[in-house]
Amino acid sequence: MASGTGTAAVPLASRRRRHRSVVAVLAVSAVLVVLRLWVLEPLWVSSSSMEPTIPEGSVVLLYRHAEPVPGSLVSFANPSGTGTVLKRVVAVGGQTVAIEDARLVVDGAAVPEPFVDHSRIDGTYFGPVTVPDGHVFVMGDNRAASIDSREFGPLPVDEIRATVVWPTAPSE
């Protein structure tokens, strides 16, 4: 069948399939944009302060709406004013935190940390410090190379941007 302009008419079923495909691509694109802008965010790790858990050069996926709890990895603006920092929450408001001969102690009890190389910080002592309500105490897993709450103090919870939900290994 020909149209008045001399071109063949596109069958109705074919136009509907093409329309559905375009709508599906637009819907998926919109969902991905919403996720990226308001829910998930990738972060390239540029320091060794979280090694061996998150090696320098890794990419982590951050979730912007999670509550920080002890053990969670969180991101926040660098207190020195440049970039984003990634650290582990080791204590929350009301808890007392200390380091005794390289071992983390929260509320008087040693916290198991198999990801920390205690031999690199043997003989290190800090605190005790009581974390104020509405704050968290954060530390890097590589304690010897981490600038964290031992330096800049407890972090207000409202300064936390996101929580790590997925680490990926650095590309070699």
Side-chain angles (χ1 to χ4, degrees):
M1 207 180 265
S3 68
T5 61
T7 59
V10 177
L12 182 60
S14 177
R15 285 186 290 177
R16 284 185 179 154
R17 275 193 302 271
R18 186 174 31 197
H19 176 72
R20 277 184 277 210
S21 296
V22 168
V23 168
V25 166
L26 290 175
V28 168
S29 297
V31 167
L32 291 174
V33 166
V34 165
L35 284 174
R36 172 60 180 92
L37 291 176
W38 291 290
V39 181
L40 299 172
E41 175 184 359
L43 175 69
W44 177 69
V45 179
S46 62
S47 82
S48 63
S49 72
M50 286 304 298
E51 289 182 350
T53 306
I54 309 283
E56 184 174 0
S58 295
V59 175
V60 296
L61 188 59
L62 303 172
Y63 177 60
R64 295 184 182 182
H65 303 287
E67 288 295 317
V69 296
S72 62
L73 304 181
V74 296
S75 69
F76 52 94
N78 188 336
S80 72
T82 57
T84 299
V85 177
L86 185 68
K87 302 291 180 195
R88 183 179 303 276
V89 174
V90 298
V92 296
Q95 292 185 306
T96 300
V97 62
I99 296 179
E100 298 175 0
D101 198 17
R103 305 288 176 185
L104 177 65
V105 177
V106 176
D107 292 336
V111 176
E113 295 182 297
F115 42 81
V116 174
D117 182 359
H118 296 98
S119 68
R120 294 187 66 199
I121 56 172
D122 190 40
T124 301
Y125 290 84
F126 172 85
V129 171
T130 300
V131 181
D133 287 336
H135 289 70
V136 293
F137 199 92
V138 295
M139 295 174 66
D141 290 353
N142 183 359
R143 303 278 158 77
S146 179
I147 297 172
D148 48 40
S149 286
R150 294 171 294 170
E151 300 287 327
F152 53 75
L155 180 71
V157 170
D158 60 4
E159 290 186 18
I160 294 175
R161 292 182 177 167
T163 301
V164 173
V165 293
W166 186 259
T168 59
S171 54
E172 305 263 339

